[in-house]
Amino acid sequence: GRSLGLAAVGGVIMGLVVQLVKAPVLSLYNVSPEVIQNVSSVLNVVAFFVWVRVSNMTIVVGILRAGGDTRFSLFLDGIIIWIVGVPMALAVLYLGLFAADRYVSVSMVGLRSSSGETAALAGMASLLSSVSGPGNQDTYFLRDYMGSLGLLKKLDERLGVRAHYEAQLRDPLFRLWSWASQEYFLDYFRSRVTVTVDENSSALLIHAEGFDPDFAFRLNSTILEEAERFVNEYSHRIARENLRFAEGE
């Protein structure tokens, strides 16, 4: 108990020392303020948990192993290494060397009727819905179109969507492979472009992701353009069918 108490006190003192020398040491480096802030945050965490690390070393190395219980010490070390250490090391390796920057363009779209009755306000754009009036069914219908193969083909023709996602060679987890089938390409597109419905306002929230900010913005804008064209064509078709039905009566 005495050794463990001394270890905890020593860890607290070491943490205070880290906090005291943090600013002078960081001032020696000519880096951006963002880097200084990030490193300072990491050192704060290290300083706070030094006593935990020191106490753990005292228990495992100084008490258990010294008392002859090497199997349990090995078991604890193995769990920490393989469940915590190795996954964290792989994550750091991936994020530092392979992960590509990804940018997201966000927009919110509301449906409204031709008479001006609003189904969803608050948005970057409003699309004309069918003359029968807006509703949740129209919203989900439009959401399904935004994730359809037909829209993807139009976007690929206008923007080169497949070429953009295939061009990122460094990131093996988020790139699109050249051998990908049409079905896989569609699933990949749906993972990069997500459309969700706000149940309260019936608005559509669109997140379009790309490997550069310009492409993400153009992708989102083009989706809005194609969605508006789709809704207008659908509205006109319904209007023509209603007109023919009225004339037949």
Side-chain angles (χ1 to χ4, degrees), residues 9-29:
V9 172
V12 172
I13 294 175
M14 291 175 62
L16 294 176
V17 171
V18 171
Q19 291 285 33
L20 291 175
V21 303
K22 176 179 64 177
V25 171
L26 291 179
S27 64
L28 300 176
Y29 295 91

Side-chain angles (χ1 to χ4, degrees), residues 107-111 120-127 139 142 146 201-206 220 224 227:
S107 62
M108 183 174 287
V109 179
L111 290 175
L121 301 174
M124 294 180 61
S126 293
L127 306 179
T139 302
L142 181 58
M146 290 182 176
S201 63
S202 295
L204 291 173
L205 184 62
I206 306 168
N220 201 319
L224 293 178

Side-chain angles (χ1 to χ4, degrees), residues 57-186:
M57 293 176 62
T58 303
I59 294 174
V60 176
V61 179
I63 299 177
L64 295 179
R65 288 183 183 176
D69 192 355
T70 56
R71 291 185 178 181
F72 187 68
S73 300
L74 178 63
F75 176 73
L76 289 179
D77 288 341
I79 289 179
I80 297 299
I81 290 174
W82 290 104
I83 296 182
V84 179
V86 172
M88 289 187 64
L90 293 176
V92 170
L93 180 66
Y94 167 73
L95 293 174
L97 299 179
F98 301 104
D101 294 333
R102 289 176 289 150
Y103 303 87
V104 179
S105 177
V106 181
S107 62
M108 183 174 287
V109 179
L111 290 175
R112 68 183 183 188
S113 67
S114 57
S115 62
E117 295 177 353
T118 304
L121 301 174
M124 294 180 61
S126 293
L127 306 179
L128 294 178
S129 69
S130 66
V131 294
S132 60
N136 287 339
Q137 185 176 0
D138 298 320
T139 302
Y140 284 103
F141 185 51
L142 181 58
R143 184 202 62 178
D144 293 341
Y145 173 73
M146 290 182 176
S148 67
L149 180 61
L151 175 62
L152 177 57
K153 290 181 177 179
K154 294 180 180 179
L155 295 174
D156 195 27
E157 292 177 0
R158 296 182 57 179
L159 302 176
V161 175
R162 185 172 191 128
H164 171 79
Y165 289 129
E166 288 180 354
Q168 181 52 254
L169 303 178
R170 188 180 66 180
D171 194 331
L173 297 182
F174 288 95
R175 66 161 297 188
L176 177 67
W177 299 95
S178 57
W179 43 259
S181 63
Q182 180 173 268
E183 291 76 14
Y184 183 89
F185 181 32
L186 179 60

